[in-house]
Amino acid sequence: MDIGAHPATRATAQDAVRLARELYGLEAKACPLPSEYDDNFRLETGDGTRRVLKVMHPMREARFIDMQCAALGRIADRDPALAVPRVIPNRVGRLWLKAAPAGEDRIVWMLSYLPGRPIAGLRPVTPDLLEELGAALARLDLALAGFTHPAAGRELKWDPVRAGWIRTHLGLVQDAPRRALVERVLARYDAELVTALPGLRRSVVYADANEHNVLVSIEPGRRPRLSGILDFGDMIETVTVAEIAVAAAHASFGAADPLAAVRPLVAGYHRRLPLMEDEVAVLDILVRTRLAVSVINSACRSAAEPGDPYLTVSEAPAWAALEAFDRMPPRLAHYAYRDACGLPPAPHGPAVVRWLEESGDAFAQVLEHDLRSEPVLVLDLSVGSPMLGADPANLETSRLAETIEVAMKDAGAAVGVGRYDEARAIYTTGAFAAGGSPTAERRTVHLGIDLSVPPGSPVRAPLDGTVHFVADNAAPKDYGPLVILRHAVPTGEEFFTLYGHLDRNSIAGLEPGKSIRAGEAFAAVGAPPANGDWWPHVHVQIILDLLGFDEDFPGVAAPGRRALWTGLSPDANLILGIPAGRFPRPDPPKTETLAARRRLVGRNLSVSYSEPLKIVRGWMQYLYDETGRAYLDAYNNVPLVGHSHPRVVRAIREQMALLNTNTRYLHDNLVRYAERLTALMPAPLRVCYVLNSASEANELALRLAREHTGREDVIVLESAYHGHTTGLIDISPYKFNGPGGRGRKPWVHVAPLPDDYRGPFRRDDPEAGPKYAAAVGRLAAEAGARGGLAAFIAETLPSVAGQIVLPRGYLAEAYRHVRAAGGVCVADEVQVGFGRLGTHFWGFETQGVIPDIVVLGKPIGNGFPLAAVVTTEAIAASFANGMEFFSTFGGNPVACAAGLAVLDVMKLERLQDRALRVGSYLIAGLERLAERHLLIGDVRGSGLFLGLELVRDRRTLEPAEAEASYVVERLRELGILAGTDGPLRNVIKIRPPLCFAEADADIFVAALDQVLSEDPVRIT
Ligand SMILES: Cc1ncc(COP(=O)(O)O)c(C=O)c1O
């Protein structure tokens, strides 16, 4: 029955109010809800209780409503926690009855109201949410197991196992390629589904998890969570797997990579209600069939209502999904779903692997060397390989070849072995990238084994086979000349072996179909550039199913699909036979590293991100995790001139290889460094102490100040942090007032933060600086009453306090008060100094002051432990009171070499200018975002030391703490590192290495734009 052909008089809100009163004894306001044929109303009573009143289309049959009531009742009994509507009985205790609101008899019933919004258009739909949906659908089906109802056996056009009807409407699809696509789906439907049908599990299923029926709850700064499943009107008795197929078809709407959406759904479902192998086998065709039903249904409607543009728009995502599926080999989807269920991806895989394991000793050697007994060198080509280092130049073919040759020579090995299932950074061309962004996941995981031997070495077949494919994939970093052999195990299962990077001439005569005997030399190892431009080696890979990819079957997989692809290409060592003992123990997976760290290392050493990162390589403004995923580093200020900067690395390495000792002997590095540092400072800052950490340096600054003044008291800024030692915790309100803190010591005086965004004096007040500084005067007097002020210490742009830019005139006035009280002024330049601010080399210069003591650390060694204190002759003289000053590692020749190299790079690469240029460009981009995203309350900072303060309301400045942490977590998922800070934890901190480029700023701004557009942080 086509309800659409029988338009009914719509029930009104007044009808709903009356029906609620008469049938349910409920006084409520009614608000219509969108619905195609029925009239649904949200009711709200005086005490805020919400209900849904459903006035069904007159053509609706009572038995279907009855079925829904029975099913919902059963779910409520069996799984009361599952968020589906409850049916509310009316005054006479019935679940539904007929009324005639507009003259026609209509079924009226009432449901509880589920809060939330439909998942349609939600941003972001994460894999976790889809997995949650899959699990909820499984719970539904578990609750409905054994449920029967006379109405459930109906024929429904949406039932994907009854899709034959679309055949007669194919002519409505005008576009020939699209029509052919649906025909392909129907051909598979006939061949795979119709035959499998009798064996499949059946039950009554909900079968309508579309994007309008799945509700999610959104709270600011929290991941969207599933909050309900609605509309049981399409329940049918069909194959149980149709449940997940319908949800999968809708989840894949518009997706470029539909598997990314479907896999988590399947995994979530399977976790609660395990799918059978024969169900997984038909899932792909069921999903495609349901999509085909969807597009043909739209075509039918367009034909019935020509010119309705809405219909064309609404069918576009289904076509996009269908087309995306069509680009994928069907068995790949099947294998991907099996993998999502924890099954071996290829059903015949275990039999092949078992046979390979059992027959291993019988296989012929692939090379002239016996890999079972001869010494081989297992090479470390992983992302974090110390042999390769971080510099991409090391990955250039000739250098890589030389590195490998030298390593093999040093080890006395005739064969170098490149490992299977190893994530590598060596796949540098665009063919390994998933998209344009450098932070998108790349293919990194090696699916074969590399055998490094000189070019021309013969390559032999390990077992009998037939030549299946001969090709030359000439693109750089591809296979080059390759051969694929086909083999069969005695029980008939087929598999393939692939040999890549061969010598072109050696395979010139090979034709597909040619038999190759075990031990027969059928090819020779090639040389660059003709071998795909790799170091000389043969790549050997087992392939269980070529999937139609043939010569393009991947030799390297994306880490996110690691189990799938390693399942399709088991370890080639099954045929090579290299003894397991030759392989070094692989690095532990991230979970083990985390567990070991929790066990072995102090607990309050915090780890960033809810999903911690294991970083194994750093190059300039990028960090790389163990899977080779690149992260744009917008957070770390310590690698000032770039991670692993070659000039700094070389300086450290060379000095370390020559001498590292202490300052009790003369060495020119120390005085050279002191000379270079002091030359960057204004007079009278001329005396240097070189140390290991900023904490050590701030401790020394305190001692200098106290020795010089003979006093104890110190003025600090609210929310300041100066280091982790006992003395510095005492002068760090961020710590002593924070969790675990022991409060303020009497000798510490805390000045209010001169925050002109949030504090009492704002940017529109030209006198804000001196007004904030007046508090320093008052505190100096307070210290005076206690025996005198020793020092005032402040960061010249407070960082932990939230990337605060001090208002103009603040430090000048504060320093005046301090000096008038006899104290000294200490500038903590640990984070902001050294050119980062762009306009000036030192932060204090931006305030037009000269401190008495300057403290440096963090970035000045580019990651090598190095810190310094620079002060005046007078203060240094007071400190030289007879007590020796000695820091064992402070100022050692290696540290000073690092410091000198950093200064060289700053100058050579004009990094201060770059900080100003790129920083200004980034600020402009962030300010443009602030025009569109109300969450951004403030963009502040200078050069590449920036803060974004997030607020829920630009008037009240209500801090958006949860949103800030959401943004940082989501940026990390998009491959960008930033952090949060500030006393309200609502400031996004941006302070990248100074090699950050305009292109990086573009990536950052685009990603931030995407995240700020997501529902949990969007302010409308
Ligand atoms: C402003 C400031 N001073 C001093 C320190 C202490 O540095 P370190 O941990 O190198 O001792 C820090 C560290 O975060 C800092 O941010």
Side-chain angles (χ1 to χ4, degrees), residues 733-756:
Y734 167 75
K735 292 286 181 192
F736 70 65
N737 278 337
R742 297 183 167 198
R744 184 178 66 82
K745 294 276 160 42
W747 53 270
V748 177
H749 308 271
V750 181
L753 193 64
D755 176 353
D756 62 6

Side-chain angles (χ1 to χ4, degrees), residues 637-638 692-698 720-725 728 732 793-795 797-800 828-832 855 857-858 866-867 989 991:
N637 54 347
V638 173
N692 311 290
S693 73
S695 292
E696 207 191 345
N698 269 329
Y721 174 68
H722 294 290
H724 63 81
T725 62
L728 298 179
S732 298
I793 179 166
E795 280 190 273
L797 266 89
S799 53
V800 173
D828 184 333
E829 291 270 342
V830 170
Q831 295 227 22
V832 297
V855 177
K858 288 190 188 269
L866 177 62
K989 199 149 78 166
R991 16 158 244 198

Side-chain angles (χ1 to χ4, degrees), residues 136-203:
L137 293 171
R139 283 170 60 185
L140 261 186
D141 291 346
L142 280 169
L144 289 174
F147 176 81
T148 53
H149 192 280
R154 64 177 153 168
E155 280 196 25
L156 196 68
K157 68 177 173 185
W158 294 111
D159 183 351
V161 303
R162 294 182 193 260
W165 67 268
I166 65 173
R167 216 179 299 268
T168 48
H169 302 280
L170 277 181
L172 294 174
V173 181
Q174 307 292 324
D175 182 70
R178 283 188 161 178
R179 201 167 51 246
L181 164 50
V182 178
E183 277 164 357
R184 279 195 293 283
V185 173
L186 277 173
R188 278 190 58 208
Y189 170 84
D190 290 338
E192 296 172 32
L193 194 59
V194 175
T195 47
L197 212 48
L200 297 175
R201 195 164 38 159
R202 297 184 73 88
S203 59

